Amino acid sequence: MTRTCIIVDDEPLARNLLSEYVRKVPELELLKAFGNPLEALNFLRENKVDILFLDIQMPGLSGMDVVKRLQSDVMPLVIFATAHDEFALQAFDINAVDYLLKPIDAAGVERALDRARERILTRGASVDAKGPV
């Protein structure tokens, strides 16, 4: 099954590199890569996305602010991609799937996606066990 994702990072080089890695994953469809967190937030309010790659420090809104402002019945799985290790504990407090430190490499992205796949399977199993919500 194909899963969808978006990337939110204000740094063009980081955004382009992460986009390149994601496009090589056959079961993952990159819907859009955003440089502006407000535009991404508006997109997320209108579109269902399975996985959200998110930088932490961006002008206007931080990655944490984006997650806090997102109000969705099914929250996307969040993978932070940042140069700032001091936010890792806060990221896991909000149930992030992974926390990738820049410079990001293909192996790190694949590990993060493996964790996301596990969460998706677990999420599906708990919905199946409980029946329709």
Side-chain angles (χ1 to χ4, degrees):
M1 171 185 278
T2 300
R3 300 292 177 180
T4 59
C5 74
I6 67 167
I7 296 168
V8 186
D9 194 318
D10 64 312
E11 298 174 31
L13 289 175
R15 190 173 57 245
N16 292 340
L17 182 62
L18 189 51
S19 296
E20 189 178 306
Y21 291 146
V22 166
R23 285 189 181 108
K24 292 179 181 177
V25 179
E27 74 274 10
L28 192 59
E29 178 186 359
L30 177 61
L31 297 178
K32 194 159 181 165
F34 294 90
N36 180 316
L38 287 171
E39 289 175 8
L41 191 56
N42 289 332
F43 180 86
L44 287 166
R45 288 181 177 145
E46 301 293 324
N47 299 277
K48 182 187 177 306
V49 173
D50 297 305
I51 299 169
L52 169 60
F53 288 92
L54 187 59
D55 189 9
I56 289 195
Q57 289 199 324
M58 297 178 285
L61 284 179
S62 73
M64 296 295 179
D65 292 334
V66 169
V67 171
K68 289 174 187 169
R69 289 187 183 191
L70 250 184
Q71 295 187 1
S72 173
D73 291 337
V74 179
M75 180 77 172
L77 297 174
V78 177
I79 299 171
F80 284 105
T82 183
H84 305 278
D85 64 354
E86 66 268 23
F87 298 102
L89 287 176
Q90 191 177 357
F92 289 109
D93 281 346
I94 62 167
N95 209 21
V97 170
D98 211 337
Y99 195 91
L100 301 174
L101 285 175
K102 294 176 181 175
I104 295 167
D105 60 16
V109 172
E110 189 56 44
R111 272 191 316 275
L113 290 173
D114 285 344
R115 290 183 178 134
R117 286 179 194 101
E118 288 174 21
R119 290 253 187 114
I120 288 168
L121 290 173
T122 303
R123 192 185 269 181
S126 65
V127 169
D128 291 345
K130 293 176 187 174
V133 177

